[in-house]
Amino acid sequence: MTGRHGGAGVRGRLHRRLGSGDLTAVPEVRHALRDLLGKWPDPDEGGAADAADVAELLASELVTNALIHTEHGAVVTATVEDSRLHVEVQDFMAGLPVSDVPNADLGTGGRGLFLVERLADAWGVRTAQGVGKVVWFELHAGAA
C-alpha cells in the first residue's frame, strides 16, 4: 500500500464506525488507540507516555464532539507511522466546526477544538467525500 498513510513506515491502523450518540465509544476508542500506539514513539526518542496521553485526549475530544453534535455517528481512523500519528474523525453532518476560546464559566464543555489547536503538531478540517466533514490531527514523534 502506498500514499499518504500507506508507506513503508506504517506500523498500524485503527478504523472504527461509531454509532450515533454512543458515548461508550469514547473510552473504547481511547483504549484501542493506546493499544495501537504501543511504544510509539520509540522510547529512545523520549516522551512516549506523553505522546500517547496527548493522542488519547485529542482523539477522545474529537470523537465526543462528533457523537454529541451530529446525528449519524462517526468514523475514526488512526494511522501510526514511524515518526507520525494521524487521526481522523469523520461525521455525516454538513457544516464546519467553530473553535472558540473556552469560557471558564461554562464548565467542562467547549474545549475540544481548543485543545486540538494547542496540543497537536498539525490539525485541520475538510469536507468529506459525500456528506459531512473530517476533523484530523497529527502528532510527530519527539514533538509531543
Side-chain angles (χ1 to χ4, degrees):
M1 185 158 100
T2 60
R4 180 176 172 155
H5 303 294
V10 172
R11 294 176 53 191
R13 184 171 180 180
L14 166 70
H15 184 81
R16 296 255 168 101
R17 172 74 192 226
L18 311 173
S20 176
D22 180 13
L23 294 179
T24 62
V26 176
E28 292 170 5
V29 167
R30 286 179 73 108
H31 293 137
L33 186 58
R34 176 67 69 162
D35 290 344
L36 174 70
L37 292 175
K39 293 183 179 179
W40 181 90
D42 187 318
D44 293 336
E45 295 177 25
D50 290 342
D53 290 344
V54 170
E56 286 183 50
L57 172 66
L58 299 184
S60 63
E61 291 292 339
L62 294 185
V63 168
T64 300
N65 284 350
L67 295 177
I68 288 176
H69 299 295
T70 68
E71 300 172 0
H72 302 289
V75 174
V76 61
T77 305
T79 305
V80 178
E81 296 180 355
D82 290 335
S83 62
R84 178 177 66 126
L85 167 67
H86 182 88
V87 176
E88 297 185 346
V89 178
Q90 178 181 355
D91 66 45
F92 302 96
M93 296 288 291
L96 298 178
V98 176
S99 177
D100 292 323
V101 175
N103 182 335
D105 295 335
L106 294 179
T108 59
R111 290 174 171 73
L113 285 180
F114 180 79
L115 289 170
V116 173
E117 288 176 6
R118 297 302 185 269
L119 298 175
D121 294 314
W123 80 280
V125 181
R126 70 176 187 275
T127 55
Q129 290 180 332
V131 114
K133 64 194 154 293
V134 175
V135 182
W136 61 270
F137 72 86
E138 290 184 354
L139 296 176
H140 303 149

